Structure formats: structure tokens, C-alpha cells
Amino acid sequence: MMKLRIYIATTNGPSEIQSLVEEDPDISSVVCLNGTTQSLPITPGYDAFVRKPTGVIERMTGHRVYRLDVSDPITNGESWQLGVYLAHALAAEGRLAQRGEPANGVLFVTGAVNARDLGVEKVGHMVEKLDHTGQLMMETAGEGLPLTIFLPKADLDQALIGKLPPNVDVFAIENVSEALDALQMGVPEKTAAPDREEVQTSPMPSSVDHSEEEKATEPPADTTSPSSSITRYRVLLGLGLILIFSLAAFGYRLWDEGPRQWQEMAEKGQIERLEAALNDHAWPWLAETYREKLQRSPQAVSLALSVRGLRPADGKSCAGMRFRNTSLKAETLKVQGENNLRLTRPDRLCRLEFELTNRSGATRQIWSSVIPQMSNSRFRDKQETMQLFTGELESGESVVLPIRLPLFRSGDLNYTVTALSFDQPSEEISSQFYAMVENPGGTDEVFEKYRSYGLTMIRREIPVTP
């Protein structure tokens, strides 16, 4: 038996119908969130949708109270009704894939149901609802499952539907019966037996011969041979298996040529290749969904920067220290702001130490530099110029980039600190890092792009006034 999983389309994203169980008829129906005791705001509407005389579910199933669990909140409106009706219809035939059960297909459903004639009425907001199907399409394609969308015919937008991939079937319907026919279902309405006083009978004369009438009303004999029925069954079974394997192959190809390769590039730090692959992919909706997934992924703070200043212990100038028999005293410098940091008390600083610490729980590859820029000063030796470090840092390990301040400076002195952290070595990241070092003023776009693809990056401007 083929089971189907149902997602209710909402403007905040799909909400999966996780379970549907009968409850005591003396209580009210309820919609709960994700198996918890939290009932959702649509609960009163659901109870009315189920119970006679206002509802339609009791007329179909003969039971009047249910508990329905969904994965995500559904707060208002009536667009949930069509999906809930189909869930009850599937459950009545044992075909609803509930939480933890394997499914043979997925339904994405939206539409209000008229309780009088089961007409499917317009609900609107189709652009927002279909915009949230990208992740669902990617997951179903990866599992090789067919995806079917049911929506009101009044909400059909051909331009919008035309953007969907070819493995998605769309049914724009005007009545619930059309959805049941598409799913090859026939769920009869169960009604109570009529009261005796409502039954009207007419006595028939005893002399009437009913033999010809009985002959006329006898059902025709079944002339279908058992072998022909078996043959038809085998043909249908074969076609069904071919369809399933074709969808599975299509889903694997979609996953193999898309997210799987993209994930490999992202894990290897091949950001330029990944960017080109996303831009050139045949289905932009899938590429955009993957981009959004990367940007929504929480980025752990795996790299921390601290700055220490070294001053003469006697509180005097850095010049002539060797003649005063004094040493340097280190102190952690407080910085102001978030991006362009300004040191407090920069006077009488002899050295700066920029310390980078790996705060992740694993070994990380680090690329880091400290580059000084001065307007009216000059550098005397390598201790005052650019400092670099590239290599691995274990979890909790730190590296210090020391740099000596020029003794004779009359203009502003700015230090540009750049640091990148990634899971493993990457030739592409190394190349981009050295491009940043050579041209620190023209890397903002590259910097932001790499950050959006999951790299931990630090870039700080630290000015030291004379």
C-alpha cells in the first residue's frame, strides 16, 4: 500500500501532518504542535470542520473527535482545510504516512473547503507559499519521492507554476472529489440509519409476478477471466515500478549534480567554483535554496582577537630604554567600537601584540596578517612592518603576531588585522588571503562573499594616534 505524507502550505513555510488519531467523542477535537500539549489557534475551527452539523469529516468517517499533530504552527485562516480533509481521507484507507513511517510520495496542499458541497475555494498568498517549497523540493528529490501540489483553481498562476521543476505535479481543483480521483481514492460518506418513522413503504399487490423484474435487475455475470485480471494487475504493477525507479533516478541525479557536489566544494573551501556552479545551474530555485541554507546556518565563533600593548615599566618614553635599565610591561588594551577599533591611551606604546585564539572544538587552519599604514612616518626594520602567520591551530591554541611601533611618528598610524579560519587547508583561500594582503583596500566584496559561504573572518582597523 502506497502511503503519502502531507504538508500544509502556509506563508511561513510547510507544516507536516505528523499524526492523526481518534479521541473520545465526548471531548472536542484539537490541533497540537509537534506532539506537545500546546494547542494551536486553529483548534476551534478544526473542531467545527470535523463535527456535524457544521463539519465534513464526521460525515466522511463516522467519528466526531480527533487529535491532529503538525510540525509547525498554523495560526489562522482556512487554507489548512483541504490538506486536513485529504489527511482524514488517506487515514481512513490506511494510506496516511504519519511521523516515523516511510512514505511513497509527498503532497503539498492549500485550499479552503466549502462544507455544503466540498468545493475548493480561493485562499491567496500563493507566491509566499511556493517560495517556501524550495527546501521541501530538494529533500523529496534527494529521497526520490514524487511531489504533488494541490491548490484551488482560482489561485492558479501559470507563470508561477511554470517555474517549478519538472518532477512536481500540480493539480488546480474546484472540488475535493477531484483530489480524491487524482489520488485514486473513493471515500464514501458514512451516514446514520434513518429513523423508522421517516421510512415510507408501499404495499404491493400479491398478484403481481416479480419474476421478470428480478431477472431484469440481476447483475450481469462477470465474464472476466482470472488470467486477464492477473495480467492487468501485472501490467499496472510493472508501470508503477518503472515510475518509481524513474523518479528515484531523477532524484538521485538532481542531488548528485546539485547539493552533493556543492557541499563537497563548500567543505573543501572551493568558494569560487561553488559560486560559478550555483550561478550556472539549470534550476535557479535549487541554487537559491542552497544559498539561503548556507546563509541561515549558524556560524560558530571559532576565532577570537585580543590586543596587548607593551610600555616601559618606568612610565617614560620608549626611546633610550636600554640606558635606563628598565623593561617592557604588557597590558591588555581595551578597544572601542566593533569594526574600526580605536585604542585607548596609545601614547608611549613600544610594541603591540595581536593574539588570535582558536575557540572552536577542533583544529582549524588559520590565515592571518597585521599590516601597518602610516602617513608621515617611516619603518626602520622588519619588526615594524607586516607580520604574517598561516598554519594550524589546535582547539584552545593561540598565536601572537608582535609588531614594534616606530619611535619617530608624526602622523596617524593604522594597523589592518585580517584573519581567516577554515576546517582544512585550501589553496583557493590561501590565494584570496594573499590577494587581500597585497591589496587591503579592494577586498570588501570578496571578504563578504567568503563570510556568506561559512568562513570565520576577522578584519579590523586599529588606529594609533601620535
Side-chain angles (χ1 to χ4, degrees):
M1 180 180 296
M2 294 186 65
K3 290 193 172 185
L4 301 173
R5 180 168 290 110
I6 293 183
Y7 288 85
I8 305 296
T10 77
T11 55
N12 294 320
S15 181
E16 177 190 354
I17 293 183
Q18 296 178 326
S19 67
L20 179 61
V21 295
E22 295 182 354
E23 292 289 353
D24 190 327
D26 294 330
I27 61 176
S28 299
S29 294
V30 64
V31 182
C32 293
L33 180 64
N34 201 25
T36 66
T37 58
Q38 179 183 348
S39 63
L40 296 182
I42 64 168
T43 287
Y46 174 63
D47 184 60
F49 186 68
V50 171
R51 191 185 301 265
K52 291 195 302 185
T54 57
V56 296
I57 301 302
E58 185 180 358
R59 297 205 305 260
M60 174 175 62
T61 67
H63 193 75
R64 64 187 305 175
V65 178
Y66 293 86
R67 172 182 170 131
L68 177 70
D69 278 274
V70 296
S71 62
D72 295 275
I74 305 174
T75 56
N76 52 37
E78 297 179 338
S79 63
W80 49 269
Q81 291 178 346
L82 178 58
V84 167
Y85 187 96
L86 295 182
H88 278 277
L90 287 169
E93 293 191 355
R95 293 178 56 193
L96 177 64
Q98 304 197 42
R99 186 173 187 178
E101 296 180 344
N104 304 101
V106 174
L107 307 183
F108 183 75
V109 187
T110 185
V113 176
N114 187 300
R116 183 179 63 254
D117 59 5
L118 298 184
V120 177
E121 300 178 348
K122 182 176 182 177
V123 292
H125 303 288
M126 290 307 303
V127 174
E128 295 94 323
K129 292 174 182 179
L130 288 176
D131 278 347
H132 289 291
T133 61
Q135 183 69 21
L136 180 61
M137 291 180 190
M138 189 164 62
E139 291 175 356
T140 54
E143 296 175 11
L145 297 178
L147 175 63
T148 304
I149 297 177
F150 286 100
L151 53 85
K153 189 173 182 179
D155 283 311
L156 180 62
D157 183 340
Q158 291 290 354
L160 191 63
I161 299 302
K163 297 179 181 179
L164 297 175
N167 67 315
V168 178
D169 290 326
V170 179
F171 289 87
I173 61 176
E174 295 179 308
N175 194 278
V176 168
S177 61
E178 298 173 51
L180 298 179
D181 290 342
L183 298 175
Q184 298 181 352
M185 298 171 57
V187 182
E189 292 190 350
K190 295 185 178 180
T191 56
D195 295 335
R196 287 183 179 272
E197 56 269 28
E198 295 178 355
V199 178
Q200 300 179 0
T201 59
S202 300
M204 300 294 291
S206 58
S207 60
V208 176
D209 185 1
H210 298 285
S211 59
E212 292 300 324
E213 181 180 348
E214 290 173 357
K215 291 178 182 178
T217 57
E218 287 181 358
D222 186 5
T223 59
T224 304
S225 67
S227 61
S228 63
S229 297
I230 293 174
T231 301
R232 285 200 302 270
Y233 173 77
R234 287 176 175 173
V235 170
L236 292 175
L237 179 61
L239 292 174
L241 290 174
I242 291 173
L243 177 62
I244 291 173
F245 284 123
S246 298
L247 289 172
F250 175 81
Y252 176 78
R253 180 181 177 186
L254 180 66
W255 176 257
D256 184 62
E257 294 181 355
R260 187 186 68 80
Q261 292 184 0
W262 299 339
Q263 190 62 28
E264 288 181 359
M265 295 176 194
E267 290 174 355
K268 294 178 180 179
Q270 298 172 345
I271 306 303
E272 297 299 326
R273 283 188 60 197
L274 175 58
E275 180 78 3
L278 292 173
N279 290 337
D280 296 339
H281 198 265
W283 292 321
W285 63 267
L286 186 60
E288 188 60 31
T289 299
Y290 185 80
R291 278 196 181 96
E292 292 175 358
K293 179 183 178 182
L294 282 178
Q295 293 170 1
R296 288 196 303 265
S297 300
Q299 302 298 331
V301 179
S302 60
L303 202 58
L305 169 66
S306 61
V307 184
R308 287 192 298 270
L310 284 78
R311 310 175 189 270
D314 59 7
K316 297 181 181 180
S317 171
C318 298
M321 279 186 54
R322 57 181 176 175
F323 301 110
R324 300 200 307 268
N325 193 25
T326 187
S327 61
L328 291 174
K329 179 182 178 181
E331 61 175 303
T332 300
L333 299 177
K334 295 181 179 180
V335 292
Q336 301 171 346
E338 296 181 355
N339 294 320
N340 295 328
L341 308 179
R342 182 170 295 277
L343 299 177
T344 58
R345 295 185 58 205
D347 56 312
R348 297 185 180 178
L349 281 175
C350 303
R351 289 179 180 274
L352 290 176
E353 291 182 344
F354 300 88
E355 183 175 26
L356 292 165
T357 303
N358 177 10
R359 288 188 176 177
S360 70
T363 300
R364 304 277 292 185
Q365 184 74 17
I366 307 296
W367 296 263
S368 59
S369 68
V370 178
I371 303 175
Q373 297 176 342
M374 292 186 292
S375 55
N376 297 309
S377 300
R378 60 183 179 85
F379 300 116
R380 295 189 302 166
D381 55 39
K382 292 183 179 180
Q383 296 183 47
E384 298 177 358
T385 57
M386 176 176 60
Q387 301 296 312
L388 295 174
F389 170 81
T390 59
E392 290 185 346
L393 287 184
E394 296 182 359
S395 178
E397 188 179 3
S398 300
V399 62
V400 176
L401 283 74
I403 193 164
R404 188 172 68 188
L405 276 70
L407 289 177
F408 307 104
R409 58 183 188 273
S410 57
D412 289 341
L413 175 59
N414 294 309
Y415 287 92
T416 300
V417 182
T418 303
L420 287 73
S421 171
F422 193 60
D423 297 333
Q424 58 183 315
S426 166
E427 292 183 4
E428 182 179 313
I429 296 177
S430 293
S431 175
Q432 289 295 338
F433 169 73
Y434 287 112
M436 292 181 188
V437 170
E438 294 176 3
N439 183 21
T443 57
D444 290 343
E445 183 178 347
V446 175
F447 187 87
E448 290 304 323
K449 179 172 69 176
Y450 272 62
R451 186 197 296 275
S452 70
Y453 280 106
L455 272 74
T456 299
M457 307 185 72
I458 294 176
R459 192 175 185 189
R460 298 286 187 268
E461 299 289 340
I462 302 181
V464 178
T465 57

